[in-house]
Amino acid sequence: MKTYRRTSSSSLTIFVFSVSLCLCGSILRAAPVGELQVKPAALTLSHPRQPHSLLVTGQSADGLSLDLTGQATYHCSNENMAKVDVLGWVKPIATGSADITVSAGGKSAIVKVTVKLPAKEPPYSFRHEVMPVLSKGGCNQGACHGYSLGKNGFKLSLRGADPADDYQWLTDEFFERRINRHNPPASLLLAKPLGDVPHEGGIRFSRDGLLHQSLLGWIRGGAQSDLDNPVKLVSLTIAPQKVVLAPGMQHPLQLLARYSDGNIRDVTRLGIYTVNTERVAGVDDVGLVTARELGETAVSARFERIFATANFIVLKPNPNFKPAPIPEDNLIDKFVLRKLNDLRIRPSELADDATFLRRLHVDLIGVQPTADEVLAFVNDKAADKRAKLVDALFRRPEFVDQWSLKWGDLLQNSRKHVSAPAVFALREWLRSAVASNMPLDEFARRLLTSRGGVADDPASAYFAVSKDADDSLQRATQVFCGVRMLCARCHPHPFENWTQADYYGLHSLFNQVAVKADPRLPNIPKARSILINKAAGYSLNPRSKQLQKPRFLGGQDLDLVNVDRREAYAKWLTSPENPFFARSLTNRMWSYFFHRGIIDPVDDIRTTNPPVNPELLDALTKDFIAHKFDVRHLMRTIVTSRTYQRGSIANETNAADDMNFSRMIPRRLPAETLLDSLVQATGVPERFGGAPAGFTAKQLPDSEIQSDFLNLFGKPQRVEACECERDDGSNMLQALHFINGTTIVSRVNAANGRLAQLLKQKGTDDQLIEQIYLWSICRQPNEKEQQVSRKLFQTYGTTKRTDAAQDLMWALLNSKDFLLVN
Amino acid sequence: MQEDLTTEAQRHREDERQIREDNYLHSDSLCVSAPLWLGLLAFLGVLTVHSSVSAAPPTIRNLDRLGLQTGGSTVLTIDGDNLLPEPKLVLSVPIVKQVVQPKGTANRVVIEVTLDKAAIPGLYNLRVANANGVSAGRIVAVDHLPQRVWEPKVAALPVSLHGTLNGSNKLTTSFMGKAGQVIQCEIEAQRLGGKLRPVLHLLDEHGRQIDWSLPNSSLDGDARITATLPADGLYTIEVHDAQYAAGAPGNFRLKIGTWQYVDAVFPPAIKRGQTTTVELLGNTAGQRVQVQSSGDAAVMPISWANPVVASGLRPRVLVSDLTEMVEKDGTALQEIAAVPVAVSGRIAKAGESDRFRLKVQPGAKLRFEVFADRLGSPMDAVLKLQRDNGTQLAQSDDSPGSPDPLLDYTVPADVQSFVVSVEDVHGRGGANFIYRVVVRPVNGETSAKDFRLFVPSAEMNVPMGGSRIVEVDVERAGYTGPIHLAFAGLSAGIQVQGVDVPAGANGAMLTLTGTGAAPATALTALRGTSSDPKEKITRSARERTHPLQKLQPWLAEELTFALIPKEKTSFSAQWGTLPADTKLVAGSSIKVPLTFTPPKEAHGGVRFYLMSSHRPPRINGQPNTNQMLRKDQGAFLEVAAGKTQGEFIVLLPATLPNVPQDLAFRADLLSKDRARVIAQAFTPVRRFPVLNPLAVQLAATQLVVPLDPKTGADVKLAGKIERRGGFKGDVTVSLTGAPPGIAVPTAIVKADKTDFQLTLKFPAAFKMLALNKLEIFATGKYAANSPLLNRSEAVAVHVKLTEKKN
């Protein structure tokens, strides 16, 4: 059987392909089940230089995606109209129509081809043919001529952001030295990337390849400009969008560009491909994806300034897998299980009561349960006790502590930025918002339209934190849209279609904010009052040198005159139709209960970072909006799902899965939760110098209170509006601190601490052991643990019972059962 | 309605009369007990000429309730010192009965107080008096609410709960509420002189927050919630400090229930001598009262609409001598009278801008001052001046330390009227967004002239047969003339000396002498009156640190006297012999001989401290020591035991203003180990004229000099230096007011010379022909090591340049 692969300039790809053939020959030779899929099913060709590929796929018996493009044979009914090569590329010859018969695996399909060629071959388009070549060749990337100062005297706009400038630089600069109109093949623009003359960037084009031919043709045609060409790229689609492979398998991509005149162009060979998780898969420069290890990754393609992504899942064939039944009564479990079934993953069992209790306490109120709470919950026979626990925890004062802490971190409420009265006022405002369950749309609206000093409006401290309008827009988009706009301040965003026009459009929405010293807090450093200058003009786009009209994220230019433009922004942002707000906040809230967001990182949402389960995110978002942005409803929905309640012990199908929520991934307790839980377990409070007396770690107003413990365990400093500021990682210093530091030892040994109180109670060793377990790791010891502990007490003897108890508690507090939430 | 207003006005006048009658309380059983009161006297700033060991007056350290109920009894526990014997409350509201509970101690007494039900709700000074004097005041509220110490659960509403919060503590209390019930919760802490910055939370029985409040600038930093309860059930109020760091005293009271309050009135100012109707702004639903301004006060309390159910700060109104206008709501552009004028207005709706057209004189220098925050308005006002065509001329937002705008503006030559606009800088509005704009000339005859008087303490305990000195500070604002001081309602048993503040002086010292034979206590006021019949200004002295001096200034002006028994032990201090014509020579020093008569049992020597009426300029809030009267070395003069006289060398700053200064000395009699002061005495107050040791005399003060069109002109200003009061050194002569581009000449006159000549060189092209701003002055050091230069009075010289024709 003949097999063919798509032409690749990379010999490495051929090598990898050869290897993969050996590895997965059995899969590739497997006959597809069901229909042969050919994309597109019908084809219209209208440009003599724009051939179109056929993507031939099928599905194996065990559900894997099969690429049959290379195996297929192609036959055109009229080769005077169109020709098709062995790789499935259809090239137009003359106006007319033909049928192409595609055969593979004993099956066949017919693709109808219509050719409508113009009477005369159109000239090369600078915008649509030359600019993509400069991007594909890497000429305009940041490391080359797209660098802000260019390279070696030659500058291009970064990633083709400004075709007009590029045309000018290519054709006019240095007396047109880069273009040889008399002898086009000798043009410096060709000689450099072909390696005919020294080029620091090396050889970028293959001679007579597509890139070379495109540039040469354009120069031969007089290097014409078509910058005024109204036809624009509208969208980019990638096929297939969801692929399931086994390790070693390969799959090609097909990239189609749709233009404003309706033309659809196959730009597969001009796309620029990247893969998010290279451990899982690799992609070559013509869009051929090679599966590597088990897992899941997105493969992104960029053409001109638009991105498209495909989802690749790599899993082991499991013909014996039995899909789990899909529950229809819980939107989370429904979509999670659908995805797990696709992945041939069986979810872990539900966690036991004690584990669930501790997890929910840690996640909802930021402190583990007490011994009494554990026993009461475990012994409670009510069927709905888990659901009732959620509402009980909502009423706990620590719930306010926990969630106002998270918002305080995100909103950067810190004396680094604003006055002490402002920090406490915003803190109180956040606490009140949490305590009254303020809907998140109102929450955002009130923050984003706040003005005055903190005595006028405590939420105004949000803007007082910002250094300038740049800071305000970046913070607002990152927190409330999950989008990072910093890159677009200086150049087009490298991973998203945000331009400087988008950036300065947002800038114009925030540039009316002015700041004055708060007259009601005279002589207090950093006391600020927020003013709105409705007469402020629009912001200057440094690239276009024009004033940029306000523009919502992904929207059109707006005229907003003599109004507080933030109000328009807040209205747009919190609209149920907004594509970012509810979705990003739903995703962010989700991440607080799992080890990651459905999109992760939660504040880097972009086309090239797609959700691992888009249906789940869409459904949760829709539900969140339907419930009027009620965050407690969202939390309740999440924590009452079976997905949240699953245990962390893996089975044979989900051990490698860490992103589809098939089990709970153990996480280290956040710094404040760790310390507050330690205090509760040992009964010895922490005293923070400079903080109000009696404050717990979660209640601290900001990170200006010095605490070696909290710093070591990653408490954020509130200098960025990014979840990444919190470090939940583990390191050797933390371990040494727990093992050797006084944080645990002094508490365990404290004369008035928990252990001392337990020792005073009259009871057996077994009872004492159980209490130590309950207070330390919130569960009763199992039989083996009980035996080991009992032996420890016996070894120490009655005279050293205190030492035994202290050692046991110390050991438990150093165990993963305490450090992690399972 | 008119009848109601008249009734209210009559009621108000009756209230005022009642207060005046009740201001005089008499103690009938005074005796001397505790011996340690000297340190307290220093704190009070009250001095005696003949003084020694004496019983200390009472002090209040804490009250368990900061409120008294009208028409009912309140049991008040007072913690303090020296409270016995026979303590009585001193209060400017009618006390029907006060009964001291048995088993009281010097540190704690319990008094059951019954107030007249007609007592006017508001805040008052409460003091404790006994035979040894009267204590410093504490602010207490008076209203109809039951006054209870803090309790975790309230049985019935309304109620006023009294508590204390320090540091990061929280307090909670609960009450039963009904669905639909409107509940007011209000903290009075800052307004009662406390340090708590209160935050209030109202929670339902599930712990869910119904409402909350941060400290509110319109409530002077206190907090209030008005909420409609969503359901029947138990509600909880939580109180804590805004930064969880409440300072001491952390006393406060929490009112729960419903009552009538007034946060401000509109218009906020009325014309003196007129009867005006004002609107009460609060939960009074547009109620109005008629106000008859009387007396000299700049701020006066006005009546409640319904005193029976009222609580909180007494409504107040400014009393103005200006033309007072009120914004006509809805009028686009309102004409206002010529300056000086004041306009009161209200930004009733969000985004509103009130606009007034003001006719002005081109070139006039005007001051525009907006009062909003200072009136209790939530406004952060911004003031704009525009031409009639809308072109903006000037804008002011804040002034130092205040959100209220202040703008000094010189009217352009081509402007005869402009539009004054006022708005909230944040575009907000509402019924209580009131303001008042005052427009005055900055200088000239029509400028505002005013002064303020301050005393260090509102309590004066004067022993029979002894004397005390009251230091009076004067802050002048335009008025520089003499001020006559007089106490109102002073007991017949006290005489006052030194009742005039000299023209230009910023301080004076009064001597009070107890001439009566029976102990007494009285509320009074110290009033200063200008001597200029054209500019009759009367102001009351106030305690500078009184917490309500801005909100309820009449409370800060309430002073108290107590005539206390004669001291047992005598110790006196006197001036030694000084020539009758002694003057204070600025920049020099003066040796003051002092004598004293220690009691026989004294073995520790005497320390003398200087007191003076001179108030030096301040730097960062502290007196500039280089410009103050002070001792040559250290703070005091110590005379060893066994001696009866000493010599105090007073350094006189070179910048000492040329107005008479009062001086006196305090003498501390020390114990044998010199660690304690066992008695104090004071010399009489003496007033000295001040002499500037440098003077300039010009040969001519009018010069006419030809200006040569080719060579210009040299103007020679000649004269003599007069050295007085022993001044001997070199002197530098120079001038001010030279036109731009003309070099300023200086001349050094050696110690043995007196003549000088300054030459001003004018170029040929000089255009200004009349020079009317030239002033000649001399500077020099009286003593070589003096930190400051003496400077003579400036002498004006007028030079006219004439064009010389060739």
Side-chain angles (χ1 to χ4, degrees), chain A residues 428 432 451 516 520 530 693, chain B residues 168 201 209 380 397-398 426:
Chain A
E428 208 65 42
S432 291
R451 59 169 71 178
K516 68 172 182 177
R520 291 199 171 92
I530 303 302
Chain B
S168 61
H201 299 272
Q209 183 168 287
D380 183 351
D397 185 352
D398 303 327
H426 304 304

